[in-house]
Amino acid sequence: MKARNGLTRFFNCYILRESRIIKEELWIRDGKIVNPEEVFYVEKVEPDVSLDCDGLLIAPGFIDIQINGGWGVDFSYDSENVEEGIQKVAKELLTHGVTSFCPTMVTSDKEKYSKILPKIQKKQGSKHGATILGVHLEGPFICLARKGAHTPELIKNPIKGIDSLLEMYGSLENVVIVTLAPELPGAVEAIKSLSQRGIKVALGHSEASLAQAEEGVRQGANLITHLFNAMLPFHHRDPGLVGLLASTTDKQVYYGIISDGIHTHPAALRIACRTNREGLILISDAVAAQGLPDGAYRIGPQAVSVENGWAYIAGTKTLCGSTMALDRCVKTFKEATECCLEYALETASLHPARALGIDNIKGKLDYGYDADFVFLHPKTLEVQSSWIAGEKDMCSQRSEQNDCLISDGDHEIADRSSWNNGFRARGLVLVSLAPRNLRRRRAAVKAKQLHLIIKF
Amino acid sequence: MRLIILEDASVVADWAARFVLQRIKEFAPGPGRHFVLGLPTGGTPLGMYRRLIDFYREGKVSFKYVTTFNMDEYVGLPRDHPESYHYYMWHEFFKHVDISPEHAHVLDGTAEDLAAECQRFERLIEEAGGVHLFVGGIGPDGHIAFNEPGSSLVSRTRVKTLAYDTLEANKRFFDNDISKVPSKALTVGVGTVMDAKEVMILITGAHKALALSKAIEEGVNHMWTVSAFQQHAQALFVCDEDATLELRVKTVKYFKALSEEHQKMIEEVPVDVQHLIH
C-alpha cells in the first residue's frame, strides 16, 4: 500500500522499541521509519494513510543468518536455477516474518561453489521477497570429527590460510559469514584475513579448546555456529567453544542457536541465555524440507529424510538441520526459557543485526531504520503480515483481496478497485472490520469522518 | 468571574475537558471556520488532555478544524527534549487526535531571532481571529504562562527570564541540576491571554491555595499575575477542594452554592444563555 506522500501511519498497535513493548504509533515513509513528532512540527504534514492495527504487535523483521533452504530448495545442491530457488525461499520467508536472511551453503565441492556462489547476490528485499544479506559459507574448513551432516570427503584444511579459502570458494564477494574450525592448520590466518575484509567469522564444527577458540576471537571471529551442536560437549577443565560464552575476551561473542525443540534441550537453551544474554541469536538452520511435509529431500550432496519434522541424513540418526522457520523458533524459545517476549523477539532481530554490524539500519524500529517489520498476534505470536522496506508482502496482500471495502461508515461505497483508482489519494482512515470496532465505527460516522474499512 | 469548586484533580480534569468539548461543539467548527484554543502544559492540565483524547476516540469531538496556540516554551531546549513543551504537547495530546499540524502552534524556543518569533506568534493569533478559549494553569507564585511575578499585566508574547523559584521548582526535571534548567522562556503575555474571549484557569492542590486566594480575593497585582483576570469579562477558575484552603469560608460557600448553575456550562446549554447564568 503506497500513499500519496508515502507517509503511512500505523496506530492502535504495540511496538518493540528500546527493548520494551509499548503502545506507540509507527510512521514510515520511503522504506524508512520516521519520527512522527518531527514530521508534525517541522514538515507539518499529515500521514496519507492511517492503518488501524487492531492491537497487534509490531516487531522488527526477523533476520535468519543460517538457513540452508526451504520449500524444496536446497541452496547447496540446486546449481541450476539458483536465482529462482533463492527467490522462492525469499518470498516464502516473508510469510514467516523473516525480512532478511543469509542463504547458507554447507560443505560442497569446488564446482558447486563456482556454480552457485556467484549467483547468490546481495539484494535489497521488497514485497516480493526478503533481503539477501549475503551468503553464509559453512564448511568445508571444518573438523572431520565434528562433521555433523557434512560430507566427510569434502572437508578440507585451510593450510594456506585465506588462499585456501579463495581457491575453494572462487570469490568472497557475496559472502558475509564463514563458519570454520579455528584449530585447523591455517585457520587463524584465515580468520584474520576474513575479518580484515569485513566478513564475519563463525566458529563451529570444531573440536577447539577454549584457548584456540579465544585466539580465533582475538583474530576477529565474533560468532559461534549452532551452539552445542557439532562441537565438544562442555568440560569443566577445558570448556571448549562453549566456554566462549563466559570468556574474558572483552568482545561480545554471538552464538547461533537452534530452538526448534529438537536440536537443543530447553535446559541447554536456558544455560546459554543466562550465561551470555546479549549474544544469543536464534537461527532456523532450516533445510529444504522447511514448509513441506515429511519425505525425502537433500542437503548439499547428501540425501535427507524427514520423519515427524525431524530431518536426518538418510539412513542415519544424524540431525542435519531443522524444518522450522524462525517465527516458530521464537515461540519455542520463549516457551522453553520463559524469557520475556521483548528478549525473544530481539534474539531473532536485534542480536543478528548486531552480529553482522548492521544494527544501525536493521533489527530495531527506531527512527531512520529500514521499515522491515512483522505484525504478530500479541499472544499466539502468529505472523499476520510482513512489511519490507515499507511495503506489505504480496502473500498477505493476496488474502486481503476480497475483504477490502470503503465505507462512509453507513454504506459500503467502493471496493478494492475503486480504492486503487483514487480513494487512496484522499488520506482516508482505515478501520478494521473486526466486530469489536463497531462502536468506534459508529462514533466515526457521528464525527463525520470518512472511513476506509479494510480487514487486516 | 466564576469559581468552580470540585472534589479533586480528576474531577477538575473531567470538568475542564467537558467545558472545552462543549465550547467546540457549540461553535460548530468546519472548513474556514476554526475554533481557536489556547493551551497550557504542565501537570494540572494533563488529566484534561487525557479526557479530551477519550472524547475524540469516542467520536464526540474532532480537532480537524481546531487551531491551537500554546502558551510558552523554554528557550534553547531542542524540540525533541523530553522537557520541552513541543515534546509534551506531541506525546500528551497532538499525536492522539486528528489536529492538523499546520494549525497546532507552539512557540519555537530555538528560533534564531526570538523577538521575531514572538511577533510571528502574535500575528498568527490575530490572523486566526483571536483565541476563543484560553486554558491556563498557574504556578504557586500565581504566574500564568511564564509571566513571572512583576510581569506587566498588559504584556504581549516575549522572551522572559525565569524567576529563581521557577528554576528551583523545575530542576527535578533536569537531573536536579539547576544549571541545566533553561533560564529563559518564550511566553504569551498577560495581555495576550486577556484578549481571548474566554479564559479558563485550572488550579489544583494545596500548594496552589495561596495563589488562588491572591488571584481572586485580593486586588489586581502584578506580583500575582493571574489576578489580572479579575478584569476579564469571561474568566473561569476551576479548582479542587485542596486549592481552596486559603480562601475565606464566605467565598467558598458562595461559589459552591452556585454549583448547579455551573453544571449547565458543560451541558448543552447555548453559550449566550450561559452568559446570563450567575
Side-chain angles (χ1 to χ4, degrees):
Chain A
M1 201 149 308
K2 218 171 169 138
R4 223 174 1 160
N5 59 16
L7 187 58
T8 306
R9 158 183 174 252
F10 299 90
F11 68 101
N12 191 18
C13 51
Y14 293 84
I15 69 169
L16 177 65
R17 185 170 283 164
E18 281 164 15
S19 302
R20 282 172 54 220
I21 289 172
I22 49 172
K23 182 145 197 191
E24 181 66 279
E25 296 183 355
L26 188 71
W27 290 34
I28 60 169
R29 180 172 55 196
D30 298 335
K32 301 276 179 197
I33 294 164
V34 296
N35 178 357
E37 184 253 11
E38 190 177 343
V39 169
F40 185 88
Y41 283 126
V42 181
E43 298 179 32
K44 294 185 184 291
V45 293
E46 286 175 90
D48 228 9
V49 175
S50 292
L51 279 158
D52 188 333
C53 305
D54 228 351
L56 289 177
L57 168 65
I58 307 180
F62 300 140
I63 302 172
D64 196 348
I65 63 166
Q66 188 164 7
I67 166 170
N68 308 292
W71 297 276
V73 178
D74 177 17
F75 299 142
S76 317
Y77 181 73
D78 309 308
S79 51
E80 308 302 319
N81 307 326
V82 173
E83 288 97 340
E84 229 170 89
I86 290 275
Q87 191 51 41
K88 183 182 170 97
V89 174
K91 180 168 168 259
E92 294 291 344
L93 281 177
L94 288 181
T95 60
H96 292 275
V98 178
T99 53
S100 303
F101 70 114
C102 300
T104 305
M105 279 185 77
V106 297
T107 296
S108 306
D109 59 31
K110 222 171 140 174
E111 196 192 335
K112 285 278 183 205
Y113 288 122
S114 70
K115 275 190 171 169
I116 298 175
L117 207 43
K119 292 185 186 159
I120 311 183
Q121 290 177 357
K122 294 176 188 175
K123 186 180 169 194
Q124 165 64 42
S126 69
K127 60 186 175 187
H128 304 290
T131 295
I132 298 158
L133 296 169
V135 179
H136 179 170
L137 291 173
E138 188 189 11
F141 304 104
I142 54 172
C143 170
L144 192 58
R146 295 287 156 188
K147 65 180 180 357
H150 292 237
T151 315
E153 300 80 52
L154 300 178
I155 290 171
K156 298 274 183 291
N157 281 335
I159 299 170
K160 292 183 281 174
I162 190 75
D163 292 334
S164 296
L165 271 69
L166 286 167
E167 211 171 281
M168 175 60 65
Y169 300 136
S171 158
L172 290 168
E173 201 181 326
N174 296 337
V175 179
V176 284
I177 305 172
V178 173
T179 289
L180 51 73
E183 72 277 19
L184 299 180
V188 169
E189 194 275 317
I191 293 171
K192 201 172 170 183
S193 304
L194 285 169
S195 306
Q196 282 164 355
R197 287 163 190 245
I199 295 169
K200 304 294 172 193
V201 178
L203 308 178
H205 286 278
S206 150
E207 288 204 306
S209 65
L210 179 57
Q212 288 167 323
E214 285 180 335
E215 180 56 17
V217 170
R218 269 190 292 276
Q219 296 305 325
N222 77 332
L223 275 156
I224 308 169
T225 297
H226 45 51
L227 188 74
F228 301 127
N229 290 279
M231 60 187 65
L232 290 174
F234 178 79
H235 189 286
H236 58 286
R237 273 191 290 277
D238 187 347
L241 269 189
V242 178
L244 279 182
L245 263 60
S247 155
T248 50
T249 51
D250 50 3
K251 205 162 90 181
Q252 175 66 54
V253 175
Y254 296 90
Y255 53 97
I257 204 159
I258 313 168
S259 70
D260 61 351
I262 296 170
H263 278 78
T264 317
H265 190 278
L269 288 177
R270 289 192 288 273
I271 288 173
C273 104
R274 288 180 201 172
T275 323
N276 193 327
R277 208 177 144 74
E278 291 306 308
L280 195 147
I281 295 174
L282 293 186
I283 53 169
S284 71
D285 200 15
V287 295
Q290 171 184 208
L292 297 175
D294 288 0
Y297 300 92
R298 299 204 65 89
I299 180 162
Q302 315 226 49
V304 172
S305 133
V306 177
E307 300 154 36
N308 299 322
W310 293 53
Y312 301 109
I313 293 297
T316 72
K317 285 288 164 201
T318 304
L319 287 170
C320 65
S322 86
T323 57
M324 198 184 256
L326 212 49
D327 56 336
R328 306 309 295 164
C329 292
V330 170
K331 193 173 153 74
T332 313
F333 175 73
K334 182 178 175 294
E335 282 161 7
T337 60
E338 294 180 345
C339 68
C340 61
L341 179 55
E342 290 89 337
Y343 177 71
L345 293 169
E346 286 187 346
T347 59
S349 52
L350 180 58
H351 295 185
R354 280 186 181 148
L356 293 180
I358 53 171
D359 55 321
N360 56 335
I361 48 166
K362 289 192 194 296
K364 292 189 199 178
L365 296 179
D366 284 2
Y367 307 138
Y369 275 62
D370 289 348
D372 296 350
F373 47 86
V374 50
F375 276 82
L376 298 167
H377 187 282
K379 291 278 175 289
T380 64
L381 300 188
E382 217 63 58
V383 172
Q384 311 291 315
S385 68
S386 297
W387 293 67
I388 179 155
E391 291 185 306
K392 190 176 185 184
D393 81 271
M394 290 304 283
C395 298
S396 2
Q397 279 190 13
R398 228 179 295 142
S399 62
E400 162 200 301
Q401 202 86 37
N402 300 322
D403 299 316
C404 188
L405 303 162
I406 299 177
S407 171
D408 59 358
D410 284 332
H411 311 95
E412 286 157 8
I413 55 171
D415 55 14
R416 189 182 177 81
S417 57
S418 324
W419 162 247
N420 285 329
N421 291 340
F423 280 87
R424 89 164 57 167
R426 292 171 47 184
L428 300 168
V429 179
L430 305 183
V431 170
S432 121
L433 271 178
R436 63 185 142 126
N437 281 325
L438 283 177
R439 199 172 59 100
R440 193 139 36 98
R441 278 179 61 188
R442 275 198 290 272
V445 177
K446 256 188 154 171
K448 297 208 167 44
Q449 298 164 339
L450 185 70
H451 276 240
L452 170 90
I453 300 187
I454 182 170
K455 188 163 183 183
F456 209 79
Chain B
M1 192 271 299
R2 294 154 199 268
L3 177 66
I4 322 285
I5 301 166
L6 302 163
E7 214 175 316
D8 57 30
S10 72
V11 185
V12 169
D14 184 66
W15 200 96
R18 282 178 195 282
F19 185 73
V20 172
L21 171 73
Q22 203 279 337
R23 282 301 187 265
I24 295 175
K25 280 172 77 175
E26 164 80 22
F27 184 83
R33 179 181 162 80
H34 279 230
F35 185 80
V36 184
L37 186 61
L39 294 174
T41 50
T44 314
L46 203 54
M48 176 188 80
Y49 287 128
R50 298 205 171 140
R51 291 296 291 141
L52 283 173
I53 294 164
D54 289 344
F55 294 154
Y56 166 73
R57 290 194 178 139
E58 290 160 14
K60 287 182 180 160
V61 67
S62 163
F63 294 89
K64 201 157 185 57
Y65 301 109
V66 174
T67 298
T68 63
F69 289 94
N70 265 84
M71 294 189 127
D72 40 17
E73 175 60 288
Y74 286 112
V75 167
L77 212 52
R79 192 199 69 238
D80 53 359
H81 188 289
E83 292 310 323
S84 85
Y85 293 164
H86 277 83
Y87 187 96
Y88 174 103
M89 286 310 294
W90 170 251
H91 286 279
E92 302 299 349
F93 189 54
F94 292 152
K95 79 170 179 185
H96 303 286
V97 298
D98 61 344
I99 191 160
S100 144
E102 295 147 66
H103 298 127
H105 305 289
V106 186
L107 282 155
D108 179 4
T110 60
E112 239 169 69
D113 186 342
L114 294 171
E117 169 62 9
C118 294
Q119 279 165 18
R120 185 186 72 93
F121 203 71
E122 286 280 342
R123 201 170 55 241
L124 281 172
I125 296 178
E126 207 181 300
E127 282 165 12
V131 176
H132 293 108
L133 171 64
F134 225 123
V135 183
I138 60 168
D141 60 1
H143 71 247
I144 174 130
F146 271 130
N147 292 289
E148 301 284 29
S151 291
S152 157
L153 299 185
V154 292
S155 53
R156 312 302 306 183
T157 305
R158 68 214 185 287
V159 186
K160 197 75 192 145
T161 300
L162 304 183
Y164 181 77
D165 288 20
T166 309
L167 300 180
E168 185 65 28
N170 286 352
K171 75 173 185 193
R172 67 182 193 276
F173 303 120
F174 294 88
D175 307 331
N176 268 322
D177 181 351
I178 202 159
S179 69
K180 286 188 187 163
V181 186
S183 60
K184 291 190 175 101
L186 301 186
T187 177
V188 293
V190 179
T192 317
V193 185
M194 282 294 283
D195 284 350
K197 289 190 183 68
E198 269 188 299
V199 178
M200 172 166 66
I201 312 283
L202 312 178
I203 307 137
T204 56
H207 62 302
K208 304 247 170 110
L210 185 63
L212 178 59
S213 99
K214 294 285 184 185
I216 64 172
E217 286 186 331
E218 290 184 18
V220 172
N221 183 338
H222 69 181
M223 295 314 286
W224 300 85
T225 50
V226 68
S227 64
F229 293 92
Q230 291 176 19
Q231 294 197 314
H232 193 282
Q234 294 293 339
L236 191 64
F237 290 78
V238 186
C239 69
D240 64 354
E241 291 278 0
D242 283 354
T244 65
L245 289 174
E246 296 284 348
L247 293 183
R248 294 190 185 93
V249 174
K250 183 168 80 175
T251 313
V252 173
K253 279 195 164 170
Y254 175 77
F255 285 107
K256 272 197 161 176
L258 282 168
S259 68
E260 251 178 66
E261 294 296 305
H262 291 151
Q263 206 54 29
K264 291 180 186 161
M265 300 177 70
I266 54 170
E267 284 160 10
E268 311 225 343
V269 176
V271 175
D272 43 353
V273 177
Q274 283 185 27
H275 288 168
L276 303 175
I277 301 170
H278 282 286

